Amino acid sequence: MCELETSDVERGRPPAVQRRRLLQGAGGALAAAGLLGTGFAAPASAAPSRPANGAAAELILLGTQAGPPVEPDRMGISTALVVDGATYLIDCGRGATTQYLRAGLRFDDLKAVFLTHLHADHVADYYNIFLMAGGLPNSRDDVITTPVQVYGPGPAGALPAKFGGGQAPTVNPGNPTPGTYELTQSCHDAYAYSTNVFLRDSGIADIRTLVDVREIRLPDVGADPLGQRAPAMNPFPVMEDDRVRVSAVLVPHGPVFPSFAFRFETAYGSVTFSGDTTYTSNLETLARGSDLLVHEAVNVQGATLSPAFRSHLLQSHVEVQNVGAIAQRSDVPRLILSHIGDQAVRPINTARWRRWAQQGYDGRVHIGNDLDRIPLT
Ligand SMILES: [Zn+2]
Ligand SMILES: [Zn+2]
């Protein structure tokens, strides 16, 4: 584990400056774009109030691995944002359910789940959380008892052509691009026998009442699953409660549609999650002025890749050597790398990665490891 300490610059930042940074963020962009609708109040009044009880906000990197291959040193991508004791999960990769507990979090504090996109490495443990932690209480008397909101992509609507040409098989051709809602319903159906037995034998909660899926509605910016998947756009509102205000943009992630980056505003500061993305100005627009940027990265230097595959990979991801410049342009003082993939060396050399990520960046870089805890301010 690694505790990041608040820098002198951060610690010494006067409240007025903190406030200004909040207002300069995604909310400000939203207001400028006229995208603030009902239910998503103007930033001047919508910043969640900071309680006087000393509670705080932190990030916990539950898993930091890029991609589905099972590796022993890193769990699948998943991050917990804890605000005043309430937990928000961003992606649910392999092992997220166990890591959640290892981090000392309680399932009955889980408020909402945000899925950046529906690649398996981001959703492998999504249904598991409800299946395993929504039934019988564990030894800590912890179980999900109230509905958890799930914000994720709707159906893509179309499949891309096969990389390299030719034909690929199609699973479930009658409905080959289910979104978050149908994914969840299908899991309910697939686990019906186990759930029905437990409902009769142990009196567990009906899992269907614990998952409250809300597919993210796209603004009308001309996005197309087979064309411009992430056209230039302003951030748009996704969710707001008494602790967080969440906005999003579309990001380009190879053939995947939709793929989101999220920004969370809290009373303690703001954090932007890149999701899986190659370079895009949309991410910089969203992240501008955040206190923290959690960004994905890959390394291809020293790797034996065909030019075609290398190009293919970099249409979906950002090279670690370029991520610092993104943070610099976004005016973000702290950069956290998670969703880490090195095509040449394993396990990754964090010292080398830190040097790479620092290129062109004046702020502080942290190369994420599983269960790292990072105070928001
Ligand atoms: Zn991924
Ligand atoms: Zn992905």
Side-chain angles (χ1 to χ4, degrees):
M1 293 216 210
C2 166
E3 293 259 354
L4 285 189
E5 293 191 355
T6 304
S7 73
D8 292 336
V9 174
E10 292 287 293
R11 206 180 295 129
R13 188 192 298 157
V17 176
Q18 292 185 24
R19 180 72 178 160
R20 190 164 65 246
R21 292 179 67 87
L22 194 65
L23 298 181
Q24 284 172 340
L30 287 167
L35 289 172
L36 289 173
T38 54
F40 194 81
S45 62
S49 61
R50 185 171 189 155
N53 61 6
E58 68 173 345
L59 285 180
I60 308 175
L61 309 183
L62 300 183
T64 56
Q65 156 94 7
V70 180
E71 302 288 354
D73 56 327
R74 290 178 183 271
M75 291 292 190
I77 182 71
S78 182
T79 311
L81 171 61
V82 184
V83 184
D84 296 332
T87 301
Y88 303 83
L89 269 185
I90 298 88
D91 286 326
C92 300
R94 171 182 57 87
T97 308
T98 302
Q99 294 292 85
Y100 187 97
L101 204 63
R102 284 183 175 156
L105 299 170
R106 289 189 61 86
F107 292 110
D108 53 15
D109 289 331
L110 179 59
K111 291 289 179 269
V113 172
F114 296 81
L115 302 174
T116 58
H117 63 298
L118 297 182
H119 261 155
D121 56 316
H122 295 250
V123 297
D125 251 27
Y126 156 56
Y127 195 74
N128 263 357
I129 291 175
F130 299 96
L131 196 63
M132 297 291 104
L136 297 168
N138 66 10
S139 59
R140 301 175 187 180
D141 196 27
D142 186 19
V143 65
I144 298 171
T145 53
T146 54
V148 175
Q149 296 174 7
V150 176
Y151 296 86
L159 286 172
K162 184 173 185 287
F163 170 64
Q167 292 289 321
T170 301
V171 174
N172 195 23
N175 183 17
T177 62
T180 306
Y181 181 79
E182 288 178 316
L183 168 66
T184 309
Q185 294 302 311
S186 296
C187 287
H188 288 329
D189 293 348
Y191 285 100
Y193 177 65
S194 174
T195 300
N196 286 331
V197 168
F198 277 127
L199 281 167
R200 282 155 180 77
D201 187 47
S202 306
I204 62 169
D206 183 341
I207 193 170
R208 295 171 299 178
T209 67
L210 300 179
V211 194
D212 179 9
V213 176
R214 300 165 183 218
E215 290 185 343
I216 297 170
R217 199 155 49 89
L218 300 179
D220 186 13
V221 291
D224 182 337
L226 300 181
Q228 280 265 37
R229 298 186 180 98
M233 66 188 299
N234 287 306
F236 63 94
V238 171
M239 177 267 203
E240 181 179 2
D241 66 11
D242 55 346
R243 294 180 175 86
V244 299
R245 195 175 72 229
V246 185
S247 51
V249 290
L250 286 164
V251 291
H253 181 41
V256 177
F257 179 83
S259 186
F260 297 110
F262 294 121
R263 174 172 175 147
F264 288 69
E265 304 283 343
T266 79
Y268 307 96
S270 53
V271 53
T272 299
F273 298 89
S274 71
D276 282 14
T277 183
T278 188
Y279 171 75
T280 170
S281 61
N282 284 352
L283 190 272
E284 293 182 16
T285 303
L286 182 72
R288 186 147 294 120
S290 295
D291 294 287
L292 274 174
L293 172 60
V294 181
H295 205 292
E296 66 118 71
V298 294
N299 172 54
V300 296
Q301 283 191 14
T304 311
L305 305 174
S306 72
F309 182 75
R310 185 180 185 281
S311 166
H312 183 62
L313 192 67
L314 297 180
Q315 287 172 29
S316 290
H317 301 287
V318 171
E319 285 183 88
V320 58
Q321 294 83 2
N322 297 332
V323 75
I326 293 171
Q328 183 76 21
R329 286 194 295 269
S330 303
D331 188 26
V332 175
R334 287 192 289 167
L335 170 64
I336 315 293
L337 263 56
S338 191
H339 195 281
I340 291 167
D342 197 314
Q343 298 292 315
V345 177
R346 186 150 205 117
I348 73 154
N349 181 326
T350 51
R352 189 186 303 154
W353 267 62
R354 193 176 302 112
R355 283 197 299 277
W356 279 334
Q358 195 72 63
Q359 292 174 13
Y361 181 47
D362 297 332
R364 289 190 298 150
V365 170
H366 177 70
I367 308 300
N369 284 300
D370 292 3
L371 297 180
D372 282 354
R373 307 180 87 97
I374 300 153
L376 210 55
T377 54

Coordinates of all heavy atoms in Angstrom, one line a residue, residues 167-199:
Q167 N -14.0 -12.5 -41.5 CA -15.2 -12.6 -40.7 C -14.9 -13.1 -39.3 O -14.0 -14.0 -39.1 CB -16.2 -13.6 -41.4 CG -16.7 -13.1 -42.7 CD -17.7 -12.0 -42.6 OE1 -18.5 -12.0 -41.7 NE2 -17.7 -11.0 -43.4
A168 N -15.6 -12.6 -38.3 CA -15.5 -13.1 -37.0 C -16.9 -13.8 -36.6 O -17.9 -13.3 -37.1 CB -15.2 -12.0 -36.0
P169 N -16.9 -14.8 -35.8 CA -18.1 -15.3 -35.3 C -18.9 -14.3 -34.5 O -18.3 -13.3 -34.0 CB -17.7 -16.5 -34.4 CG -16.3 -16.7 -34.5 CD -15.7 -15.4 -35.2
T170 N -20.2 -14.4 -34.4 CA -21.0 -13.5 -33.6 C -21.8 -14.2 -32.6 O -22.6 -15.1 -32.9 CB -22.0 -12.7 -34.5 OG1 -21.3 -12.0 -35.5 CG2 -22.8 -11.7 -33.7
V171 N -21.5 -13.9 -31.3 CA -22.3 -14.5 -30.2 C -23.7 -13.8 -30.1 O -23.8 -12.6 -30.3 CB -21.5 -14.3 -28.9 CG1 -22.3 -14.7 -27.7 CG2 -20.2 -15.0 -29.0
N172 N -24.7 -14.6 -29.9 CA -26.0 -14.0 -29.7 C -26.4 -13.1 -30.9 O -26.7 -11.9 -30.6 CB -26.1 -13.3 -28.4 CG -27.6 -13.1 -28.0 OD1 -28.5 -13.8 -28.5 ND2 -27.8 -12.1 -27.1
P173 N -26.4 -13.6 -32.1 CA -26.7 -12.7 -33.3 C -28.0 -11.9 -33.2 O -28.1 -10.8 -33.8 CB -26.6 -13.6 -34.5 CG -26.8 -15.0 -33.9 CD -26.2 -15.0 -32.5
G174 N -28.9 -12.4 -32.5 CA -30.2 -11.7 -32.4 C -30.1 -10.4 -31.5 O -30.9 -9.5 -31.7
N175 N -29.1 -10.3 -30.7 CA -28.9 -9.2 -29.8 C -27.4 -9.1 -29.5 O -27.0 -9.4 -28.4 CB -29.7 -9.2 -28.6 CG -29.6 -7.9 -27.7 OD1 -29.1 -6.9 -28.2 ND2 -30.0 -8.0 -26.5
P176 N -26.5 -8.8 -30.5 CA -25.1 -8.9 -30.3 C -24.4 -7.7 -29.5 O -23.2 -7.8 -29.2 CB -24.6 -9.0 -31.7 CG -25.5 -8.1 -32.5 CD -26.9 -8.3 -31.8
T177 N -25.2 -6.7 -29.2 CA -24.6 -5.5 -28.5 C -25.3 -5.1 -27.3 O -25.7 -3.9 -27.2 CB -24.4 -4.3 -29.5 OG1 -25.7 -3.9 -29.9 CG2 -23.6 -4.7 -30.7
P178 N -25.6 -6.0 -26.4 CA -26.4 -5.5 -25.2 C -25.7 -4.5 -24.4 O -24.5 -4.5 -24.2 CB -26.6 -6.8 -24.4 CG -25.5 -7.7 -24.8 CD -25.2 -7.4 -26.3
G179 N -26.4 -3.6 -23.8 CA -25.9 -2.5 -22.9 C -26.0 -3.0 -21.5 O -26.2 -4.2 -21.2
T180 N -25.7 -2.1 -20.6 CA -25.6 -2.4 -19.1 C -26.9 -3.0 -18.6 O -26.9 -3.9 -17.8 CB -25.3 -1.1 -18.3 OG1 -24.1 -0.5 -18.9 CG2 -25.0 -1.5 -16.9
Y181 N -28.1 -2.5 -19.1 CA -29.4 -3.0 -18.5 C -29.6 -4.5 -18.9 O -29.8 -5.3 -18.1 CB -30.5 -2.1 -19.1 CG -31.8 -2.6 -18.6 CD1 -32.3 -2.3 -17.3 CD2 -32.7 -3.4 -19.4 CE1 -33.5 -2.7 -16.8 CE2 -33.9 -3.8 -18.9 CZ -34.3 -3.5 -17.6 OH -35.5 -3.9 -17.1
E182 N -29.4 -4.8 -20.2 CA -29.6 -6.1 -20.7 C -28.5 -7.1 -20.1 O -28.8 -8.3 -19.9 CB -29.6 -6.2 -22.2 CG -30.9 -5.6 -22.8 CD -31.0 -5.6 -24.3 OE1 -29.9 -5.2 -24.9 OE2 -32.0 -5.9 -24.8
L183 N -27.3 -6.6 -20.0 CA -26.2 -7.4 -19.4 C -26.7 -7.8 -18.0 O -26.6 -9.0 -17.6 CB -25.0 -6.6 -19.3 CG -23.8 -7.1 -18.4 CD1 -23.3 -8.4 -18.9 CD2 -22.7 -6.1 -18.2
T184 N -27.2 -6.9 -17.2 CA -27.7 -7.2 -15.9 C -28.9 -8.1 -15.8 O -28.9 -9.1 -15.1 CB -28.0 -5.8 -15.2 OG1 -27.0 -4.9 -15.3 CG2 -28.3 -6.1 -13.7
Q185 N -29.8 -7.9 -16.7 CA -31.0 -8.8 -16.8 C -30.6 -10.2 -17.2 O -31.1 -11.2 -16.6 CB -32.0 -8.2 -17.8 CG -32.6 -6.9 -17.4 CD -33.4 -7.0 -16.1 OE1 -34.2 -7.9 -15.9 NE2 -33.1 -6.0 -15.2
S186 N -29.7 -10.3 -18.1 CA -29.2 -11.6 -18.5 C -28.5 -12.3 -17.4 O -28.6 -13.5 -17.2 CB -28.2 -11.5 -19.7 OG -28.9 -11.0 -20.8
C187 N -27.8 -11.6 -16.5 CA -27.1 -12.2 -15.4 C -28.2 -12.7 -14.4 O -28.1 -13.8 -13.8 CB -26.2 -11.2 -14.7 SG -24.6 -11.0 -15.6
H188 N -29.2 -11.8 -14.2 CA -30.3 -12.3 -13.3 C -30.9 -13.6 -13.8 O -31.1 -14.5 -13.0 CB -31.4 -11.2 -13.3 CG -31.1 -10.0 -12.6 ND1 -30.3 -9.9 -11.5 CD2 -31.6 -8.7 -12.8 CE1 -30.2 -8.6 -11.1 NE2 -31.0 -7.9 -11.9
D189 N -31.1 -13.7 -15.1 CA -31.7 -14.9 -15.7 C -30.8 -16.1 -15.6 O -31.2 -17.2 -15.2 CB -32.1 -14.6 -17.1 CG -33.2 -13.6 -17.3 OD1 -33.9 -13.3 -16.3 OD2 -33.4 -13.2 -18.4
A190 N -29.5 -15.8 -15.9 CA -28.5 -16.9 -15.9 C -28.3 -17.5 -14.5 O -28.0 -18.7 -14.4 CB -27.2 -16.4 -16.5
Y191 N -28.4 -16.7 -13.5 CA -28.2 -17.2 -12.1 C -29.6 -17.5 -11.4 O -29.6 -17.6 -10.2 CB -27.4 -16.1 -11.3 CG -26.0 -16.1 -11.6 CD1 -25.4 -15.1 -12.5 CD2 -25.1 -17.0 -11.1 CE1 -24.1 -15.1 -12.8 CE2 -23.7 -17.0 -11.4 CZ -23.2 -16.0 -12.2 OH -21.9 -16.0 -12.5
A192 N -30.6 -17.6 -12.2 CA -32.0 -17.7 -11.6 C -32.0 -18.9 -10.6 O -32.6 -18.8 -9.5 CB -33.0 -17.9 -12.7
Y193 N -31.4 -20.0 -11.0 CA -31.6 -21.2 -10.1 C -31.0 -21.0 -8.8 O -31.6 -21.1 -7.7 CB -30.9 -22.5 -10.8 CG -31.0 -23.6 -9.8 CD1 -32.3 -24.2 -9.5 CD2 -29.9 -24.2 -9.3 CE1 -32.4 -25.2 -8.6 CE2 -30.0 -25.3 -8.4 CZ -31.2 -25.8 -8.0 OH -31.3 -26.8 -7.2
S194 N -29.7 -20.5 -8.7 CA -29.1 -20.2 -7.4 C -29.9 -19.2 -6.6 O -30.1 -19.3 -5.4 CB -27.6 -19.7 -7.7 OG -27.1 -19.3 -6.5
T195 N -30.3 -18.1 -7.3 CA -31.0 -17.0 -6.6 C -32.3 -17.6 -6.1 O -32.7 -17.3 -4.9 CB -31.2 -15.9 -7.6 OG1 -29.9 -15.3 -8.0 CG2 -32.0 -14.8 -6.9
N196 N -33.0 -18.3 -6.9 CA -34.3 -18.9 -6.5 C -34.2 -19.8 -5.3 O -35.0 -19.8 -4.4 CB -35.0 -19.5 -7.7 CG -35.6 -18.5 -8.7 OD1 -35.9 -17.4 -8.3 ND2 -35.6 -18.9 -9.9
V197 N -33.2 -20.6 -5.3 CA -32.9 -21.5 -4.2 C -32.6 -20.7 -2.9 O -33.2 -21.0 -1.8 CB -31.8 -22.5 -4.5 CG1 -31.4 -23.3 -3.2 CG2 -32.3 -23.5 -5.5
F198 N -31.7 -19.8 -3.0 CA -31.4 -19.0 -1.8 C -32.6 -18.2 -1.3 O -32.8 -18.0 -0.1 CB -30.2 -18.0 -2.1 CG -28.8 -18.7 -2.0 CD1 -27.9 -18.6 -3.0 CD2 -28.5 -19.3 -0.8 CE1 -26.7 -19.2 -2.9 CE2 -27.2 -19.9 -0.7 CZ -26.3 -19.9 -1.7
L199 N -33.4 -17.7 -2.3 CA -34.6 -16.9 -1.8 C -35.5 -17.8 -1.0 O -36.2 -17.3 -0.1 CB -35.3 -16.4 -3.1 CG -34.8 -15.2 -3.8 CD1 -35.4 -15.0 -5.1 CD2 -35.0 -13.9 -2.9

